[in-house]
Protein backbone atom coordinates (compact mmCIF):
# COMPACT_ATOMS: atom_id res chain seq x y z
CA UNK A 1 0.00 0.00 0.00
CA UNK A 2 1.39 3.38 -0.99
CA UNK A 3 0.42 6.44 0.97
CA UNK A 4 0.50 9.40 -1.36
CA UNK A 5 0.47 12.82 0.25
CA UNK A 6 0.89 16.15 -1.51
CA UNK A 7 2.78 19.16 -0.15
CA UNK A 8 1.09 21.53 2.28
CA UNK A 9 -0.73 24.43 0.58
CA UNK A 10 -1.00 22.47 -2.66
CA UNK A 11 -3.64 24.04 -4.90
CA UNK A 12 -6.39 21.66 -5.94
CA UNK A 13 -8.69 23.07 -8.53
CA UNK A 14 -10.81 22.70 -11.59
CA UNK A 15 -10.43 24.58 -14.86
CA UNK A 16 -12.84 26.01 -17.40
CA UNK A 17 -12.86 28.62 -20.17
CA UNK A 18 -15.34 31.40 -20.87
CA UNK A 19 -16.64 30.37 -24.28
CA UNK A 20 -16.90 26.73 -23.29
CA UNK A 21 -19.24 27.26 -20.33
CA UNK A 22 -20.72 30.74 -20.07
CA UNK A 23 -23.34 30.94 -22.80
CA UNK A 24 -25.10 34.34 -22.79
CA UNK A 25 -23.21 34.99 -26.01
CA UNK A 26 -24.99 38.23 -26.82
CA UNK A 27 -26.31 39.28 -23.44
CA UNK A 28 -25.71 42.40 -21.38
CA UNK A 29 -23.69 44.14 -24.06
CA UNK A 30 -21.17 41.42 -24.82
CA UNK A 31 -19.39 41.82 -28.16
CA UNK A 32 -18.95 38.98 -30.62
CA UNK A 33 -15.89 36.76 -30.48
CA UNK A 34 -14.32 34.65 -33.19
CA UNK A 35 -15.94 31.59 -31.62
CA UNK A 36 -19.38 33.14 -31.89
CA UNK A 37 -18.59 33.77 -35.54
CA UNK A 38 -17.26 30.31 -36.29
CA UNK A 39 -19.89 28.37 -34.38
CA UNK A 40 -22.65 30.22 -36.21
CA UNK A 41 -21.23 29.18 -39.57
CA UNK A 42 -22.60 25.88 -40.84
CA UNK A 43 -20.36 22.86 -41.21
CA UNK A 44 -17.51 23.72 -38.87
CA UNK A 45 -18.58 22.49 -35.43
CA UNK A 46 -19.74 18.92 -34.97
CA UNK A 47 -23.54 18.59 -35.00
CA UNK A 48 -23.87 22.31 -35.60
CA UNK A 49 -23.35 22.94 -31.88
CA UNK A 50 -22.69 26.47 -30.63
CA UNK A 51 -21.64 28.05 -27.34
CA UNK A 52 -24.75 30.26 -27.32
CA UNK A 53 -26.01 28.65 -24.13
CA UNK A 54 -23.27 26.14 -23.27
CA UNK A 55 -23.52 25.37 -19.53
CA UNK A 56 -25.42 28.59 -18.90
CA UNK A 57 -22.74 29.37 -16.34
CA UNK A 58 -23.32 33.10 -16.84
CA UNK A 59 -26.60 32.65 -14.99
CA UNK A 60 -25.69 29.64 -12.86
CA UNK A 61 -22.28 30.59 -11.53
CA UNK A 62 -23.47 30.58 -7.93
CA UNK A 63 -24.76 27.03 -8.22
CA UNK A 64 -21.50 26.01 -9.91
CA UNK A 65 -19.45 27.56 -7.14
CA UNK A 66 -21.47 25.55 -4.62
CA UNK A 67 -20.50 22.42 -6.55
CA UNK A 68 -16.86 23.47 -6.32
CA UNK A 69 -17.28 24.02 -2.62
CA UNK A 70 -18.63 20.48 -2.26
CA UNK A 71 -15.67 19.26 -4.29
CA UNK A 72 -13.40 20.85 -1.66
CA UNK A 73 -11.35 22.70 -4.27
CA UNK A 74 -9.32 25.63 -3.00
CA UNK A 75 -8.76 27.21 -6.42
CA UNK A 76 -10.63 27.71 -9.66
CA UNK A 77 -9.05 28.51 -13.00
CA UNK A 78 -11.39 30.29 -15.40
CA UNK A 79 -10.94 32.67 -18.29
CA UNK A 80 -12.31 36.10 -19.01
CA UNK A 81 -14.20 36.74 -22.19
CA UNK A 82 -12.37 39.75 -23.60
CA UNK A 83 -15.37 40.88 -25.73
CA UNK A 84 -17.57 40.83 -22.63
CA UNK A 85 -15.32 43.55 -21.20
CA UNK A 86 -14.37 45.34 -24.42
CA UNK A 87 -17.11 44.52 -26.97
CA UNK A 88 -15.03 45.96 -29.82
CA UNK A 89 -11.70 44.72 -28.52
CA UNK A 90 -10.58 48.13 -27.26
CA UNK A 91 -12.04 51.46 -26.29
CA UNK A 92 -15.44 51.36 -24.68
CA UNK A 93 -15.90 49.21 -21.59
CA UNK A 94 -19.03 47.12 -20.98
CA UNK A 95 -19.84 47.66 -17.30
CA UNK A 96 -22.25 44.72 -17.13
CA UNK A 97 -19.52 42.37 -18.32
CA UNK A 98 -17.16 43.81 -15.73
CA UNK A 99 -19.82 43.28 -13.07
CA UNK A 100 -20.27 39.62 -14.02
CA UNK A 101 -16.63 38.82 -13.24
CA UNK A 102 -16.74 40.99 -10.11
CA UNK A 103 -19.63 38.89 -8.88
CA UNK A 104 -17.95 35.64 -9.87
CA UNK A 105 -14.69 36.55 -8.15
CA UNK A 106 -16.41 37.82 -5.01
CA UNK A 107 -18.55 34.71 -4.78
CA UNK A 108 -15.45 32.51 -5.12
CA UNK A 109 -13.63 34.41 -2.39
CA UNK A 110 -16.67 34.22 -0.14
CA UNK A 111 -16.46 30.45 -0.52
CA UNK A 112 -12.71 30.39 0.10
CA UNK A 113 -11.83 29.43 -3.45
CA UNK A 114 -8.91 31.27 -5.01
CA UNK A 115 -9.60 32.72 -8.45
CA UNK A 116 -6.87 31.93 -11.00
CA UNK A 117 -7.55 33.96 -14.09
CA UNK A 118 -6.64 33.17 -17.69
CA UNK A 119 -6.69 36.41 -19.67
CA UNK A 120 -7.01 34.78 -23.05
CA UNK A 121 -8.54 31.41 -23.74
CA UNK A 122 -9.10 31.84 -27.46
CA UNK A 123 -12.22 34.06 -27.68
CA UNK A 124 -10.69 37.02 -29.51
CA UNK A 125 -13.06 39.94 -30.08
CA UNK A 126 -14.31 39.64 -33.65
CA UNK A 127 -13.42 43.28 -34.30
CA UNK A 128 -9.74 42.38 -33.79
CA UNK A 129 -9.99 39.37 -36.05
CA UNK A 130 -11.20 41.72 -38.74
CA UNK A 131 -8.01 43.76 -38.58
CA UNK A 132 -5.82 40.68 -38.97
CA UNK A 133 -5.89 38.90 -35.61
CA UNK A 134 -2.56 37.97 -34.02
CA UNK A 135 -0.64 38.57 -37.21
CA UNK A 136 -1.32 42.27 -36.76
CA UNK A 137 0.76 43.93 -34.07
CA UNK A 138 -2.05 46.39 -33.28
CA UNK A 139 -3.75 43.43 -31.62
CA UNK A 140 -0.80 43.21 -29.23
CA UNK A 141 -1.49 46.77 -28.12
CA UNK A 142 -5.22 46.11 -27.74
CA UNK A 143 -4.43 43.04 -25.62
CA UNK A 144 -2.07 45.01 -23.38
CA UNK A 145 -4.72 47.69 -22.83
CA UNK A 146 -7.21 44.98 -21.93
CA UNK A 147 -4.81 43.32 -19.49
CA UNK A 148 -3.98 46.66 -17.84
CA UNK A 149 -7.65 47.17 -17.15
CA UNK A 150 -7.90 43.66 -15.73
CA UNK A 151 -4.93 44.09 -13.39
CA UNK A 152 -6.22 47.44 -12.16
CA UNK A 153 -9.79 46.38 -11.72
CA UNK A 154 -9.55 42.78 -10.42
CA UNK A 155 -5.96 42.65 -9.22
CA UNK A 156 -6.86 43.54 -5.65
CA UNK A 157 -8.60 40.14 -5.43
CA UNK A 158 -6.96 38.03 -8.14
CA UNK A 159 -3.41 37.04 -7.25
CA UNK A 160 -2.66 34.51 -9.98
CA UNK A 161 -2.80 35.48 -13.62
CA UNK A 162 -2.22 33.50 -16.79
CA UNK A 163 -1.54 35.62 -19.86
CA UNK A 164 -2.42 33.04 -22.52
CA UNK A 165 -3.79 29.54 -22.81
CA UNK A 166 -1.96 27.27 -25.24
CA UNK A 167 -0.44 29.64 -27.83
CA UNK A 168 0.39 26.70 -30.09
CA UNK A 169 -3.25 25.76 -30.51
CA UNK A 170 -4.70 29.16 -31.23
CA UNK A 171 -1.87 30.22 -33.53
CA UNK A 172 -0.04 27.48 -35.43
CA UNK A 173 -2.83 24.91 -35.22
CA UNK A 174 -5.88 27.07 -35.89
CA UNK A 175 -4.10 29.11 -38.56
CA UNK A 176 -2.83 25.90 -40.13
CA UNK A 177 -6.38 24.56 -40.21
CA UNK A 178 -7.69 27.89 -41.52
CA UNK A 179 -10.37 27.70 -38.84
CA UNK A 180 -11.33 31.37 -38.83
CA UNK A 181 -10.44 32.34 -42.37
CA UNK A 182 -11.23 29.23 -44.39
CA UNK A 183 -7.64 29.24 -45.66
CA UNK A 184 -4.63 27.42 -44.25
CA UNK A 185 -1.84 29.80 -43.26
CA UNK A 186 0.98 28.03 -41.48
CA UNK A 187 3.54 30.80 -41.81
CA UNK A 188 0.99 33.30 -40.45
CA UNK A 189 0.40 30.96 -37.54
CA UNK A 190 4.09 31.00 -36.63
CA UNK A 191 4.26 34.76 -36.99
CA UNK A 192 1.21 35.01 -34.76
CA UNK A 193 2.94 32.77 -32.19
CA UNK A 194 5.88 35.16 -32.00
CA UNK A 195 3.53 38.15 -31.67
CA UNK A 196 1.71 36.40 -28.86
CA UNK A 197 5.00 36.11 -27.01
CA UNK A 198 5.51 39.85 -27.36
CA UNK A 199 1.97 40.45 -26.06
CA UNK A 200 2.72 38.09 -23.18
CA UNK A 201 5.93 39.89 -22.24
CA UNK A 202 4.23 43.29 -22.41
CA UNK A 203 1.38 42.04 -20.22
CA UNK A 204 3.89 40.76 -17.65
CA UNK A 205 5.52 44.17 -17.72
CA UNK A 206 2.13 45.88 -17.31
CA UNK A 207 1.41 43.65 -14.34
CA UNK A 208 4.70 44.44 -12.59
CA UNK A 209 3.91 48.14 -13.05
CA UNK A 210 0.28 47.93 -11.93
CA UNK A 211 -0.97 49.02 -8.54
CA UNK A 212 -1.80 45.39 -7.72
CA UNK A 213 1.51 43.76 -8.59
CA UNK A 214 1.82 41.65 -5.43
CA UNK A 215 0.52 38.45 -7.06
CA UNK A 216 2.02 36.00 -9.55
CA UNK A 217 1.86 35.89 -13.31
CA UNK A 218 2.65 33.11 -15.78
CA UNK A 219 1.61 31.50 -19.04
CA UNK A 220 -0.02 28.17 -19.84
CA UNK A 221 1.54 26.02 -22.54
CA UNK A 222 0.27 22.76 -23.97
CA UNK A 223 3.23 20.42 -23.82
CA UNK A 224 3.69 16.81 -24.67
CA UNK A 225 6.62 14.49 -24.06
CA UNK A 226 7.94 13.06 -27.30
CA UNK A 227 8.97 9.41 -27.55
CA UNK A 228 10.96 8.13 -30.53
CA UNK A 229 9.95 4.73 -31.85
CA UNK A 230 13.45 3.30 -31.54
CA UNK A 231 16.89 4.44 -30.51
CA UNK A 232 18.10 4.73 -34.09
CA UNK A 233 19.76 8.02 -35.04
CA UNK A 234 16.98 8.74 -37.50
CA UNK A 235 14.26 8.27 -34.89
CA UNK A 236 16.20 10.39 -32.41
CA UNK A 237 16.40 13.20 -34.97
CA UNK A 238 12.69 12.92 -35.67
CA UNK A 239 11.85 13.13 -31.96
CA UNK A 240 14.12 16.13 -31.49
CA UNK A 241 12.49 17.95 -34.38
CA UNK A 242 8.94 17.28 -33.20
CA UNK A 243 9.93 18.25 -29.67
CA UNK A 244 11.14 21.52 -31.17
CA UNK A 245 7.89 22.07 -33.03
CA UNK A 246 5.61 21.17 -30.11
CA UNK A 247 7.58 22.14 -27.02
CA UNK A 248 10.81 24.11 -27.45
CA UNK A 249 9.29 26.66 -29.84
CA UNK A 250 7.07 27.77 -26.91
CA UNK A 251 9.30 27.07 -23.91
CA UNK A 252 12.56 28.60 -25.14
CA UNK A 253 11.26 32.15 -25.73
CA UNK A 254 9.55 32.17 -22.33
CA UNK A 255 12.47 30.80 -20.31
CA UNK A 256 15.52 31.70 -22.38
CA UNK A 257 14.32 34.66 -24.43
CA UNK A 258 15.37 32.87 -27.61
CA UNK A 259 13.83 30.65 -30.27
CA UNK A 260 15.29 27.19 -31.00
CA UNK A 261 17.73 27.48 -33.88
CA UNK A 262 16.81 24.20 -35.55
CA UNK A 263 13.14 25.24 -35.79
CA UNK A 264 13.99 28.78 -36.94
CA UNK A 265 16.17 27.27 -39.69
CA UNK A 266 13.38 24.92 -40.70
CA UNK A 267 10.82 27.75 -40.87
CA UNK A 268 13.20 29.96 -42.81
CA UNK A 269 13.88 27.30 -45.37
CA UNK A 270 10.31 26.14 -45.72
CA UNK A 271 8.32 29.39 -45.38
CA UNK A 272 10.91 32.07 -45.80
CA UNK A 273 10.25 32.98 -42.19
CA UNK A 274 11.67 36.39 -41.20
CA UNK A 275 14.27 36.75 -38.45
CA UNK A 276 13.03 37.54 -34.95
CA UNK A 277 13.69 41.12 -33.91
CA UNK A 278 16.22 41.78 -31.17
CA UNK A 279 13.71 44.03 -29.46
CA UNK A 280 11.21 41.22 -29.11
CA UNK A 281 13.85 39.03 -27.53
CA UNK A 282 14.88 41.82 -25.17
CA UNK A 283 11.29 42.22 -24.06
CA UNK A 284 11.06 38.54 -23.28
CA UNK A 285 14.32 38.63 -21.40
CA UNK A 286 13.20 41.61 -19.31
CA UNK A 287 9.92 39.97 -18.31
CA UNK A 288 10.38 36.52 -16.80
CA UNK A 289 7.38 34.60 -15.48
CA UNK A 290 6.65 33.59 -11.88
CA UNK A 291 5.27 30.17 -12.78
CA UNK A 292 4.59 27.93 -15.75
CA UNK A 293 1.13 26.50 -16.36
CA UNK A 294 1.30 23.08 -17.98
CA UNK A 295 -1.60 21.57 -19.89
CA UNK A 296 -0.96 17.92 -20.54
CA UNK A 297 -3.25 15.09 -21.58
CA UNK A 298 -1.08 12.65 -23.49
CA UNK A 299 2.32 12.01 -25.04
CA UNK A 300 3.52 12.20 -28.64
CA UNK A 301 5.08 9.29 -30.50
CA UNK A 302 7.27 9.77 -33.52
CA UNK A 303 8.81 7.53 -36.15
CA UNK A 304 10.84 8.24 -39.29
CA UNK A 305 11.10 5.79 -42.13
CA UNK A 306 13.64 7.67 -44.26
CA UNK A 307 15.76 10.82 -43.89
CA UNK A 308 13.47 12.76 -46.29
CA UNK A 309 10.66 12.38 -43.75
CA UNK A 310 12.54 14.65 -41.37
CA UNK A 311 11.05 17.77 -42.90
CA UNK A 312 7.46 16.54 -42.80
CA UNK A 313 5.76 16.94 -39.45
CA UNK A 314 2.73 14.85 -40.39
CA UNK A 315 4.90 11.94 -41.56
CA UNK A 316 6.82 11.89 -38.30
CA UNK A 317 3.89 11.77 -35.91
CA UNK A 318 3.02 8.19 -35.27
CA UNK A 319 -0.68 7.85 -34.51
CA UNK A 320 -0.82 4.08 -34.66
CA UNK A 321 -2.41 2.69 -31.53
CA UNK A 322 -0.23 0.51 -29.36
CA UNK A 323 -1.71 -2.77 -28.22
CA UNK A 324 -2.39 -2.82 -24.50
CA UNK A 325 -2.35 0.97 -24.20
CA UNK A 326 -5.47 2.85 -23.27
CA UNK A 327 -6.98 5.69 -25.32
CA UNK A 328 -9.59 8.28 -24.37
CA UNK A 329 -12.84 9.01 -26.21
CA UNK A 330 -10.89 11.68 -28.03
CA UNK A 331 -8.36 9.07 -29.17
CA UNK A 332 -5.60 10.45 -26.95
CA UNK A 333 -3.24 7.90 -25.43
CA UNK A 334 -3.33 7.62 -21.66
CA UNK A 335 0.30 8.27 -20.74
CA UNK A 336 1.01 8.96 -17.08
CA UNK A 337 4.70 8.21 -17.66
CA UNK A 338 4.74 10.81 -20.43
CA UNK A 339 3.37 13.26 -17.88
CA UNK A 340 6.14 12.40 -15.41
CA UNK A 341 8.88 12.54 -18.05
CA UNK A 342 7.59 15.91 -19.25
CA UNK A 343 7.62 17.44 -15.77
CA UNK A 344 11.09 16.19 -14.95
CA UNK A 345 12.41 17.39 -18.29
CA UNK A 346 10.98 20.92 -17.89
CA UNK A 347 12.45 21.04 -14.41
CA UNK A 348 15.86 20.04 -15.67
CA UNK A 349 16.03 22.01 -18.92
CA UNK A 350 14.42 25.23 -17.73
CA UNK A 351 15.98 25.80 -14.37
CA UNK A 352 13.48 24.38 -11.92
CA UNK A 353 10.47 26.66 -12.43
CA UNK A 354 7.39 26.63 -10.18
CA UNK A 355 4.75 24.69 -12.12
CA UNK A 356 0.98 24.38 -11.94
CA UNK A 357 -0.83 21.72 -13.89
CA UNK A 358 -3.42 24.08 -15.34
CA UNK A 359 -5.20 21.32 -17.25
CA UNK A 360 -5.31 17.56 -17.14
CA UNK A 361 -8.23 15.23 -17.48
CA UNK A 362 -9.92 12.72 -19.71
CA UNK A 363 -12.68 12.52 -22.29
CA UNK A 364 -14.64 9.57 -21.01
CA UNK A 365 -17.44 7.32 -22.19
CA UNK A 366 -19.76 8.41 -19.40
CA UNK A 367 -22.44 6.02 -20.58
CA UNK A 368 -23.39 4.31 -17.32
CA UNK A 369 -25.42 6.17 -14.74
CA UNK A 370 -26.30 4.35 -11.51
CA UNK A 371 -28.13 5.87 -8.57
CA UNK A 372 -27.77 9.28 -10.11
CA UNK A 373 -23.98 9.04 -10.37
CA UNK A 374 -22.06 8.68 -13.65
CA UNK A 375 -19.84 5.60 -13.33
CA UNK A 376 -16.73 7.00 -15.00
CA UNK A 377 -14.20 4.41 -13.91
CA UNK A 378 -11.99 5.24 -16.89
CA UNK A 379 -11.61 8.89 -15.83
CA UNK A 380 -11.09 7.96 -12.20
CA UNK A 381 -8.31 5.53 -13.13
CA UNK A 382 -6.76 8.09 -15.42
CA UNK A 383 -6.66 10.72 -12.69
CA UNK A 384 -5.28 8.27 -10.17
CA UNK A 385 -2.38 7.37 -12.44
CA UNK A 386 -1.65 10.99 -13.33
CA UNK A 387 -1.80 12.08 -9.69
CA UNK A 388 0.62 9.30 -8.74
CA UNK A 389 3.03 10.50 -11.37
CA UNK A 390 2.66 14.12 -10.32
CA UNK A 391 3.54 13.01 -6.83
CA UNK A 392 6.53 11.04 -8.10
CA UNK A 393 7.72 14.14 -9.97
CA UNK A 394 7.45 16.21 -6.78
CA UNK A 395 9.45 13.61 -4.89
CA UNK A 396 12.08 13.81 -7.61
CA UNK A 397 12.44 17.54 -7.16
CA UNK A 398 9.87 19.15 -9.47
CA UNK A 399 8.41 22.31 -7.92
CA UNK A 400 4.78 21.42 -8.59
CA UNK A 401 2.44 23.71 -6.71
CA UNK A 402 -1.03 22.83 -7.86
CA UNK A 403 -3.30 20.81 -10.10
CA UNK A 404 -6.41 21.87 -12.00
CA UNK A 405 -8.64 19.20 -13.51
CA UNK A 406 -10.07 19.85 -16.92
CA UNK A 407 -12.90 20.29 -16.41
CA UNK A 408 -15.38 21.22 -13.73
CA UNK A 409 -18.29 20.58 -16.09
CA UNK A 410 -18.87 18.86 -19.38
CA UNK A 411 -18.74 21.72 -21.85
CA UNK A 412 -18.42 22.97 -25.41
CA UNK A 413 -15.35 21.12 -26.64
CA UNK A 414 -14.50 23.50 -29.51
CA UNK A 415 -14.89 21.90 -32.94
CA UNK A 416 -16.16 18.70 -31.30
CA UNK A 417 -19.09 20.63 -29.78
CA UNK A 418 -20.89 18.79 -26.99
CA UNK A 419 -20.00 15.34 -28.29
CA UNK A 420 -16.96 15.03 -26.03
CA UNK A 421 -17.32 15.08 -22.25
CA UNK A 422 -14.42 16.08 -19.99
CA UNK A 423 -16.31 17.14 -16.86
CA UNK A 424 -16.09 15.90 -13.31
CA UNK A 425 -19.73 16.92 -13.30
CA UNK A 426 -22.08 15.83 -16.05
CA UNK A 427 -24.23 18.46 -17.73
CA UNK A 428 -27.57 17.58 -19.24
CA UNK A 429 -27.72 20.17 -22.00
CA UNK A 430 -31.50 19.96 -22.31
CA UNK A 431 -32.26 20.72 -18.68
CA UNK A 432 -28.91 22.15 -17.48
CA UNK A 433 -29.06 19.65 -14.65
CA UNK A 434 -25.65 18.91 -13.10
CA UNK A 435 -24.91 15.31 -12.13
CA UNK A 436 -21.94 14.08 -10.15
CA UNK A 437 -19.57 11.54 -11.57
CA UNK A 438 -17.67 8.96 -9.56
CA UNK A 439 -14.39 10.70 -10.40
CA UNK A 440 -15.74 13.89 -8.80
CA UNK A 441 -16.54 12.05 -5.58
CA UNK A 442 -13.08 10.54 -5.60
CA UNK A 443 -11.44 13.90 -6.28
CA UNK A 444 -13.40 15.44 -3.40
CA UNK A 445 -11.97 12.79 -1.06
CA UNK A 446 -8.43 13.18 -2.41
CA UNK A 447 -8.56 16.91 -1.70
CA UNK A 448 -9.94 16.30 1.82
CA UNK A 449 -6.98 14.01 2.55
CA UNK A 450 -4.48 15.96 0.44
CA UNK A 451 -3.67 12.59 -1.07
CA UNK A 452 -4.82 8.98 -1.31
CA UNK A 453 -3.84 5.40 -0.71
CA UNK A 454 -3.03 3.15 -3.62
CA UNK A 455 -1.59 -0.26 -4.32
C1 LIG B 1 -7.19 22.11 -24.24
C2 LIG B 1 -7.95 23.40 -24.09
C3 LIG B 1 -9.22 23.29 -23.29
C4 LIG B 1 -9.94 21.98 -23.53
C5 LIG B 1 -9.00 20.81 -23.45
C6 LIG B 1 -9.67 19.47 -23.65
O1 LIG B 1 -6.43 22.17 -25.40
O2 LIG B 1 -7.16 24.38 -23.47
O3 LIG B 1 -10.01 24.41 -23.56
O4 LIG B 1 -10.65 22.03 -24.71
O5 LIG B 1 -7.97 20.96 -24.36
Amino acid sequence: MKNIRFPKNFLWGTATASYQIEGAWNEDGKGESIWDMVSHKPGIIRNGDTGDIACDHYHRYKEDIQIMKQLNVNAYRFSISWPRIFPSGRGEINEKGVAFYDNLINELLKNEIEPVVTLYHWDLPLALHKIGSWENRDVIEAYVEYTKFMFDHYGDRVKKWITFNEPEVFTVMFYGAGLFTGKSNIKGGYIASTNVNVAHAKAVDAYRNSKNSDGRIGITLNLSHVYPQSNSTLDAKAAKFIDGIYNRWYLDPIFRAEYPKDILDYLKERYNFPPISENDLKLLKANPIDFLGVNNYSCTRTAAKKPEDLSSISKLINRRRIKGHEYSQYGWEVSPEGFYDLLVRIDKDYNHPPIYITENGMAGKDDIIENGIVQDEDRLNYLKQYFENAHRAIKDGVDLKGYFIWSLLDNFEWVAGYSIRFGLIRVNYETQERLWKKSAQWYRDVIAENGFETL
Side-chain angles (χ1 to χ4, degrees):
M1 197 75 150
K2 267 190 287 177
N3 189 2
I4 293 190
R5 285 293 171 272
F6 283 80
K8 252 210 194 136
N9 303 325
F10 198 71
L11 282 196
W12 291 109
T14 55
T16 62
S18 45
Y19 188 73
Q20 295 180 277
I21 63 163
E22 285 179 2
W25 76 281
N26 60 357
E27 252 181 85
D28 289 346
K30 176 181 164 293
E32 243 184 281
S33 83
I34 49 174
W35 279 93
D36 294 313
M37 182 262 284
V38 103
S39 72
H40 291 152
K41 271 195 193 159
I44 299 183
I45 313 291
R46 202 179 291 172
N47 303 321
D49 290 341
T50 74
D52 291 0
I53 300 173
C55 307
D56 196 30
H57 176 75
Y58 189 76
H59 300 113
R60 294 168 194 263
Y61 69 94
K62 284 195 177 163
E63 181 193 333
D64 291 337
I65 290 174
Q66 282 319 302
I67 295 175
M68 284 188 245
K69 179 112 189 123
Q70 287 161 20
L71 273 170
N72 290 327
V73 298
N74 53 20
Y76 173 48
R77 174 183 178 232
F78 62 95
S79 79
I80 307 266
S81 160
W82 179 355
R84 224 183 256 298
I85 308 285
F86 289 97
S88 314
R90 62 201 309 184
E92 212 177 308
I93 288 174
N94 174 31
E95 295 299 344
K96 286 191 175 164
V98 177
F100 168 67
Y101 295 109
D102 271 325
N103 294 338
L104 175 68
I105 289 165
N106 294 343
E107 186 75 13
L108 286 165
L109 292 171
K110 201 167 94 191
N111 285 282
E112 291 168 74
I113 299 170
E114 181 183 356
V116 176
V117 171
T118 310
L119 289 158
Y120 186 85
H121 201 127
W122 307 353
D123 40 1
L124 184 74
L126 191 57
L128 299 179
H129 171 74
K130 289 186 178 154
I131 61 162
S133 188
W134 291 105
E135 269 180 281
N136 180 349
R137 287 200 165 217
D138 287 349
V139 174
I140 300 179
E141 298 316 315
Y143 172 80
V144 176
E145 282 165 34
Y146 153 66
T147 62
K148 278 185 180 158
F149 175 79
M150 303 303 290
F151 300 144
D152 281 347
H153 187 86
Y154 301 108
D156 55 338
R157 290 154 288 160
V158 173
K159 297 298 171 192
K160 289 195 182 68
W161 296 94
I162 294 165
T163 55
F164 285 99
N165 179 68
E166 302 192 348
E168 187 254 349
V169 176
F170 75 84
T171 60
V172 174
M173 219 170 111
F174 288 168
Y175 278 64
L179 191 58
F180 301 104
T181 57
K183 210 165 112 224
S184 172
N185 177 9
I186 297 177
K187 180 179 177 182
Y190 277 99
I191 292 195
S193 75
T194 59
N195 286 346
V196 163
N197 284 333
V198 175
H200 158 81
K202 288 191 167 187
V204 172
D205 180 55
Y207 184 59
R208 307 270 182 238
N209 288 303
S210 77
K211 62 178 184 202
N212 294 310
S213 61
D214 57 331
R216 299 267 178 271
I217 188 161
I219 188 168
T220 281
L221 304 179
N222 53 307
L223 302 167
S224 172
H225 200 72
V226 180
Y227 291 112
Q229 192 177 41
S230 76
N231 50 20
S232 73
T233 316
L234 190 60
D235 274 340
K237 276 191 184 158
K240 178 165 183 249
F241 174 56
I242 295 298
D243 179 59
I245 291 285
Y246 279 4
N247 301 317
R248 287 181 287 119
W249 181 257
Y250 304 93
L251 285 161
D252 287 12
I254 295 296
F255 285 108
R256 298 181 178 157
E258 64 185 28
Y259 286 85
K261 187 170 176 313
D262 54 340
I263 305 304
L264 270 176
D265 289 348
Y266 161 79
L267 292 175
K268 185 163 176 240
E269 192 177 310
R270 181 136 188 176
Y271 302 107
N272 195 22
F273 197 72
I276 309 277
S277 91
E278 280 304 316
N279 268 343
D280 289 0
L281 298 178
K282 270 191 209 144
L283 254 174
L284 283 161
K285 181 135 197 131
N287 292 290
I289 51 172
D290 299 316
F291 63 86
L292 177 70
V294 172
N295 288 0
N296 176 261
Y297 292 87
S298 186
C299 63
T300 300
R301 298 195 182 270
T302 55
K305 290 202 182 71
K306 39 189 191 312
E308 300 85 83
D309 291 352
L310 283 177
S311 59
S312 162
I313 297 167
S314 59
K315 279 194 183 143
L316 297 179
I317 309 280
N318 183 359
R319 295 192 200 280
R320 242 181 319 129
R321 293 201 173 196
I322 303 170
K323 247 204 178 146
H325 288 214
E326 205 191 331
Y327 294 81
S328 78
Q329 284 301 98
Y330 227 168
W332 298 350
E333 182 181 343
V334 176
S335 177
E337 63 293 331
F339 183 53
Y340 170 85
D341 286 342
L342 174 72
L343 292 175
V344 170
R345 178 274 177 107
I346 297 169
D347 185 71
K348 179 167 130 297
D349 287 359
Y350 296 96
N351 204 14
H352 190 52
I355 296 177
Y356 292 90
I357 304 304
T358 40
E359 282 181 32
N360 170 253
M362 188 195 195
K365 282 202 204 69
D366 292 359
D367 51 355
I368 305 170
I369 302 178
E370 273 168 20
N371 306 322
I373 305 287
V374 181
Q375 304 296 311
D376 60 339
E377 299 289 344
D378 49 358
R379 184 175 293 106
L380 197 161
N381 280 327
Y382 176 100
L383 292 176
K384 198 182 255 180
Q385 293 176 66
Y386 274 72
F387 283 6
E388 264 191 84
N389 280 277
H391 182 257
R392 186 155 71 97
I394 294 170
K395 272 205 334 222
D396 292 344
V398 174
D399 188 12
L400 185 63
K401 295 189 156 326
Y403 207 122
F404 295 80
I405 306 289
W406 186 271
S407 182
L408 171 65
L409 306 166
D410 291 339
N411 60 47
F412 178 85
E413 180 45 40
W414 309 115
V415 288
Y418 298 105
S419 67
I420 294 283
R421 292 179 180 271
F422 269 99
L424 291 167
I425 304 292
R426 183 184 178 87
V427 175
N428 176 331
Y429 295 110
E430 317 258 278
T431 62
Q432 290 296 342
E433 186 195 6
R434 273 75 165 139
L435 212 59
W436 281 60
K437 302 184 191 179
K438 208 169 162 182
S439 59
Q441 297 179 315
W442 180 77
Y443 189 40
R444 170 197 66 199
D445 297 344
V446 169
I447 301 174
E449 300 287 318
N450 201 28
F452 59 100
E453 269 85 50
T454 188
L455 295 176

